[in-house]
């Protein structure tokens, strides 16, 4: 049962010696054995090494270490397999890196270790975080715990599944265009994408550097606040990390929402939005009004251009970032007659279809004769999109939208139609283009089949405390986050 | 710094019509630039799919952005530097451990100088 607790609940039980880190890890491991053959949230798990960490945490607890100093002491946390953990695999969901072992820890890994977390397991993802369904994983898709015939969202699909199915207490993912928030919505958990620069990207394998940000997937909002507090902060090894103090996000959670202004962008409530999703989001709006928040209609006039701008800028950056995978310094190599052929064959054999698509697209929009028409124009449109948000935040404290236009779709439904897949990201990409923060939390279910629906809150740059406070107030007034997917329960441990 | 919306124009990149898209968008050439070997079936399907995607991108032409500055990133920082000093870094062994071929502390590649 320890695997079913939130991070906060588990930390409390550990502090009260009602359980041990080793017991909590064992409960997660049992759960993985039970459900992961179907769900495939994990690509690998070095349980022997994790047990050593858990034993070390138990020794620390026995010798008087406290959760005041180390808020995650003994808590089992899993990371998306694109965040570096020393001596562990770092496949990025790519066959090209199937045998890569990380020689160093990411900044967030160091911070989680310092906070006492037990880090275990490498979570499934779309290859190099490119995708919205986890179907682009080089090692087979993850599946939605609410309906295994459906996608769990992506690219941090494994992270959302592992948290929703109680295979770990909490997880980290990365969000370039919605890759934390969209799977959180599909799986019925809380997904937080911090402001660009809030969390160090050192040790996060780069997809689109100006958009990538590490985020949290948790069972509730308080856990998100705790985890962001643990991983946030300036890091000189990431020159885009911002030297801004990290507040205690849990301290302001309970301040309520009375007097806060929520903006409802009229461009987000249009055709293409599933009626059940719309109804759930409208009910959430009513709930916020009841809690004392003010809601007003706003306009984000350039919303309609966000997908086009995103799918130029992100592939452009990806094509440059992925140039490093050339079969020389790391990864698998396919021999060739000369170096050029070695590069071409290595990359042709190592990358999956979506990664190739984005490399080609990115190379094209940056190529001579097309740069101004596509890339430069997209960067200018990015300015307009960012301006829309900054103007809106002059009037409102946060913006409320659906996270996705519909609930989780069946596997295979969009895998041969990249444009339709890209349009799935319509509500999430603007947040990354603008560099602001965003959070998705459960706000209801579709009727048949019963699938989670996500509510998105978008906040000002470094406005995470306000987002978490809003989300917490809503969560306390509803019970969606307590619902568990209809999977067999883990056997009780004595 | 607001772009003014104007009526959608005829497609400026001429990528909506598949035939035109093919002429304009040469997958093999771009794949060569990207050092990516593609099987012919793969090149065909990528070309078709990306032709559609690029046709969709043409909607950005609806906006007048002549007076708009581009945004490369949203960080409120510029010219971040650090002291030029020696710091610990990966050991030679760690740097080579994932290499497909190495020898004598070096990466091994095919001969590039005759």
């Amino acid at each position: 049962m320890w695997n079913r607790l939130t991070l906060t609940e588990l930390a409390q039980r550990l502090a009260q010696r009602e359980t041990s880190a080793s017991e909590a890890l064992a409960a997660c491991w049992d759960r993985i054995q039970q459900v992961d053959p179907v769900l495939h949230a994990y690509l690998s798990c070095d349980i022997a090494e994790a047990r050593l960490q858990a034993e070390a945490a138990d020794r620390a607890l026995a010798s008087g270490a406290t959760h005041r100093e180390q808020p995650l002491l003994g808590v089992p946390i899993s990371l998306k397999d694109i965040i570096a953990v020393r001596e562990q695999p770092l496949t990025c969901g790519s066959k090209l890196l199937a045998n890569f072992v990380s020689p160093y820890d990411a900044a967030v890994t160091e911070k989680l270790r310092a906070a006492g977390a037990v880090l275990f397991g490498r979570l499934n993802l779309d290859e190099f975080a490119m995708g919205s369904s986890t179907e682009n994983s080089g090692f087979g898709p993850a599946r939605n715990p609410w309906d295994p015939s459906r996608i769990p969202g992506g690219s941090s699909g494994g992270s959302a599944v592992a948290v929703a199915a109680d295979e770990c207490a909490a997880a980290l993912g990365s969000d370039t265009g919605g890759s934390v928030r969209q799977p959180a919505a599909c799986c019925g958990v809380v997904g937080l994408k911090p402001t660009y620069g809030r969390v160090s990207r050192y040790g996060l394998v780069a997809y689109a550097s100006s958009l990538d940000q590490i985020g949290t997937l948790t069972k509730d909002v308080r856990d998100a606040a705790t985890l962001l507090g643990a991983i946030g902060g300036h890091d000189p090894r990431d020159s885009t990390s911002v030297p801004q103090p990290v507040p205690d996000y849990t301290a302001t959670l309970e301040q309520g929402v009375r007097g806060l202004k929520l903006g409802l962008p009229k461009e987000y409530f249009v055709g293409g939005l599933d009626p059940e999703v719309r109804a759930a989001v409208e009910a959430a709006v009513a709930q916020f009004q009841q809690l004392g928040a003010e809601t007003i209609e706003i306009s984000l006039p350039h919303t309609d251009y966000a997908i086009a701008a995103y799918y130029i800028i992100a592939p452009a950056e990806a094509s440059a970032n992925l140039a490093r995978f050339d079969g020389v310094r790391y990864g698998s190599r396919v021999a060739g007659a000369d170096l050029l052929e070695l590069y071409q064959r290595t990359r042709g054999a190592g990358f999956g279809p979506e990664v190739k698509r984005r490399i080609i697209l990115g190379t094209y929009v940056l190529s001579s004769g097309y740069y101004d028409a596509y890339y430069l124009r997209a960067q200018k449109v990015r300015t307009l999109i960012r301006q829309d948000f900054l103007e809106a935040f002059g009037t409102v404290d946060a913006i409320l939208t659906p996270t996705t236009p519909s609930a989780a779709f069946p596997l295979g439904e969009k895998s041969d139609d990249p444009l339709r897949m890209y349009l799935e990201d319509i509500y999430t990409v603007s947040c990354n283009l603008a560099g602001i923060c965003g959070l998705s939390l459960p706000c209801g279910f579709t009727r048949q089949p019963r699938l989670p629906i996500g509510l998105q809150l978008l906040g000002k740059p470094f406005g995470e405390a306000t987002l978490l406070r809003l989300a917490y107030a809503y969560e306390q007034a509803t019970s969606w986050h307590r619902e568990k997917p209809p999977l067999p329960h883990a056997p009780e441990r004595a | 710094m607001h772009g003014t919306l104007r009526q959608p124009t005829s497609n400026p990149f001429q990528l909506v019509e598949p035939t035109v898209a093919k002429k304009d968008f040469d997958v093999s050439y771009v794949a060569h630039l990207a050092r990516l070997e593609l099987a012919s079936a793969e090149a065909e399907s990528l070309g078709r799919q990306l032709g559609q995607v690029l046709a969709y991108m043409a909607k950005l032409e609806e906006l007048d952005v002549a007076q708009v500055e581009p945004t490369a990133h949203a960080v409120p920082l510029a010219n971040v530097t650090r002291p030029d000093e020696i710091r610990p870094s990966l050991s030679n062994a760690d740097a080579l451990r994932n290499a497909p071929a190495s020898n004598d502390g070096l990466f091994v590649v095919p001969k590039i100088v005759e």
Side-chain angles (χ1 to χ4, degrees):
Chain A
M1 65 165 284
W2 306 114
N3 58 304
R4 288 172 66 83
L5 302 182
T6 66
L7 180 166
T8 308
E9 290 165 348
L10 181 59
Q12 280 166 359
R13 305 294 163 81
L14 286 163
Q16 292 158 2
R17 306 297 188 270
E18 285 177 38
T19 185
S20 66
S22 299
E23 230 176 15
L25 178 66
C28 292
W29 182 235
D30 283 353
R31 182 64 165 169
I32 289 171
Q33 309 282 305
Q34 184 191 23
V35 300
D36 220 56
V38 170
L39 300 181
H40 200 214
Y42 287 83
L43 292 178
S44 64
C45 187
D46 184 351
I47 192 66
E49 195 274 338
R51 284 186 184 123
L52 298 178
Q53 292 179 56
E55 286 161 18
D58 285 330
R59 282 196 301 277
L61 280 160
S63 59
T66 67
H67 287 85
R68 183 178 294 275
E69 295 145 7
Q70 291 184 283
L72 307 176
L73 186 56
V75 175
I77 292 179
S78 300
L79 306 188
K80 185 178 185 179
D81 200 2
I82 196 163
I83 299 172
V85 176
R86 187 171 165 79
E87 300 302 328
Q88 294 298 322
L90 183 58
T91 70
C92 304
S94 181
K95 285 187 174 140
L96 195 139
L97 295 176
N99 299 311
F100 188 95
V101 175
S102 177
Y104 72 102
D105 274 344
V108 293
T109 307
E110 291 173 350
K111 281 177 174 278
L112 290 176
R113 287 194 203 281
V118 172
L119 299 178
F120 80 106
R122 308 296 300 156
L123 292 166
N124 205 353
L125 69 160
D126 287 300
E127 186 177 4
F128 289 106
M130 298 181 193
S132 313
S133 70
T134 318
E135 289 170 293
N136 299 330
S137 168
F139 306 103
R143 289 169 180 273
N144 194 310
W146 293 89
D147 177 352
S149 73
R150 289 171 187 268
I151 59 115
S155 66
S156 309
S159 305
V161 173
V163 172
D166 291 321
E167 297 173 90
C168 60
L172 294 188
S174 61
D175 188 316
T176 305
S179 280
V180 161
R181 290 161 286 151
Q182 185 255 9
C186 289
C187 294
V189 298
V190 176
L192 171 63
K193 185 208 89 80
T195 305
Y196 187 79
R198 172 76 297 179
V199 178
S200 170
R201 293 183 295 112
Y202 177 78
L204 169 69
V205 178
Y207 155 27
S209 307
S210 82
L211 304 163
D212 295 340
Q213 188 67 192
I214 292 173
T216 62
L217 291 113
T218 55
K219 296 177 192 183
D220 69 11
V221 174
R222 183 179 290 278
D223 283 3
T226 302
L227 203 47
L228 178 62
I231 64 170
H234 180 242
D235 175 13
R237 295 167 299 183
D238 171 5
S239 61
T240 63
S241 116
V242 177
Q244 176 127 341
V246 182
D248 178 355
Y249 294 110
T250 61
T252 46
L253 277 183
E254 293 173 28
Q255 286 180 349
V257 299
R258 193 159 294 282
L260 289 182
K261 266 192 196 167
L262 279 171
L264 311 175
K266 61 179 184 197
E267 293 83 1
Y268 282 52
F269 294 88
V270 292
L273 177 57
D274 178 87
E276 283 186 289
V277 174
R278 174 193 280 270
V281 172
E282 282 172 355
V285 171
Q287 184 73 60
F288 271 112
Q289 289 166 344
Q290 231 171 51
L291 290 166
E294 194 186 326
T295 57
I296 56 168
E297 187 182 277
I298 59 163
S299 175
L300 299 169
H302 298 94
T303 297
D304 206 21
Y305 302 96
I307 290 281
Y310 175 84
Y311 278 99
I312 289 171
I313 292 169
E317 295 185 16
S319 70
N321 275 325
L322 270 62
R324 63 171 61 93
F325 300 107
D326 57 6
V328 171
R329 288 157 298 166
Y330 28 64
S332 54
R333 169 187 289 188
V334 180
D338 54 19
L339 202 54
L340 177 65
E341 202 173 86
L342 180 150
Y343 291 155
Q344 290 172 330
R345 288 185 175 176
T346 294
R347 292 161 62 79
F351 293 136
E354 182 61 25
V355 172
K356 287 180 183 169
R357 218 172 273 140
R358 293 196 196 187
I359 289 175
I360 298 272
L361 183 56
T363 303
Y364 178 72
V365 300
L366 290 175
S367 65
S368 174
Y370 297 97
Y371 181 94
D372 285 3
Y374 287 105
Y375 186 62
L376 186 62
R377 177 169 285 269
Q379 284 190 315
K380 290 180 171 184
V381 174
R382 182 176 186 180
T383 302
L384 298 176
I385 290 167
R386 181 167 158 81
Q387 204 61 38
D388 283 354
F389 279 96
L390 297 183
E391 251 171 57
F393 286 133
T395 317
V396 299
D397 297 290
I399 294 169
L400 185 155
T401 82
T403 308
T404 59
S406 55
F409 50 86
L411 265 86
E413 189 183 273
K414 301 182 188 190
S415 38
D416 286 330
D417 191 344
L419 187 55
R420 271 183 74 211
M421 189 73 97
Y422 298 168
L423 293 170
E424 182 69 11
D425 302 336
I426 181 76
Y427 296 134
T428 52
V429 293
S430 298
C431 172
N432 303 74
L433 289 168
I436 59 175
C437 57
L439 179 151
S440 177
L441 79 165
C443 73
F445 289 86
T446 58
R447 221 176 271 277
Q448 193 61 39
R450 194 161 189 274
L451 300 167
I453 298 171
L455 175 72
Q456 180 175 240
L457 296 167
L458 299 172
K460 298 175 187 180
F462 297 95
E464 285 85 354
T466 304
L467 276 197
L468 289 160
R469 182 177 147 195
L470 281 159
Y472 182 80
Y474 175 80
E475 189 184 72
Q476 292 305 299
T478 58
S479 60
W480 310 118
H481 65 292
R482 290 197 204 93
E483 307 249 356
K484 296 283 187 184
L487 292 162
H489 289 171
E492 295 288 323
R493 292 180 68 83
Chain B
M1 205 189 274
H2 252 298
T4 49
L5 291 167
R6 50 174 211 235
Q7 285 304 306
T9 53
S10 61
N11 181 8
F13 303 126
Q14 300 184 305
L15 289 170
V16 168
E17 292 300 319
T19 49
V20 183
K22 268 205 177 74
K23 191 184 82 187
D24 221 10
F25 180 63
D26 181 349
V27 180
S28 313
Y29 174 65
V30 182
H32 171 74
L33 291 178
R35 302 294 183 262
L36 204 52
E37 185 178 76
L38 298 178
S40 62
E42 206 176 11
E44 194 278 322
S45 87
L46 272 173
R48 184 169 34 77
Q49 290 167 339
L50 292 178
Q52 284 169 9
V53 171
L54 287 167
Y56 176 79
M57 303 309 187
K59 74 186 289 140
L60 294 185
E61 270 294 298
E62 293 167 18
L63 293 168
D64 177 3
V65 292
Q67 304 304 315
V68 181
E69 289 295 316
T71 295
H73 62 78
V75 203
L77 303 169
N79 297 333
V80 178
T81 60
R82 61 167 174 79
D84 184 14
E85 59 194 22
I86 295 170
R87 294 184 191 179
S89 60
L90 284 187
S91 66
N92 184 273
D94 270 348
L96 289 171
R97 67 188 285 180
N98 288 292
S102 67
N103 189 25
D104 205 16
L106 302 167
F107 296 108
V108 175
V109 293
K111 193 172 177 182
I112 51 171
V113 180
E114 290 303 322

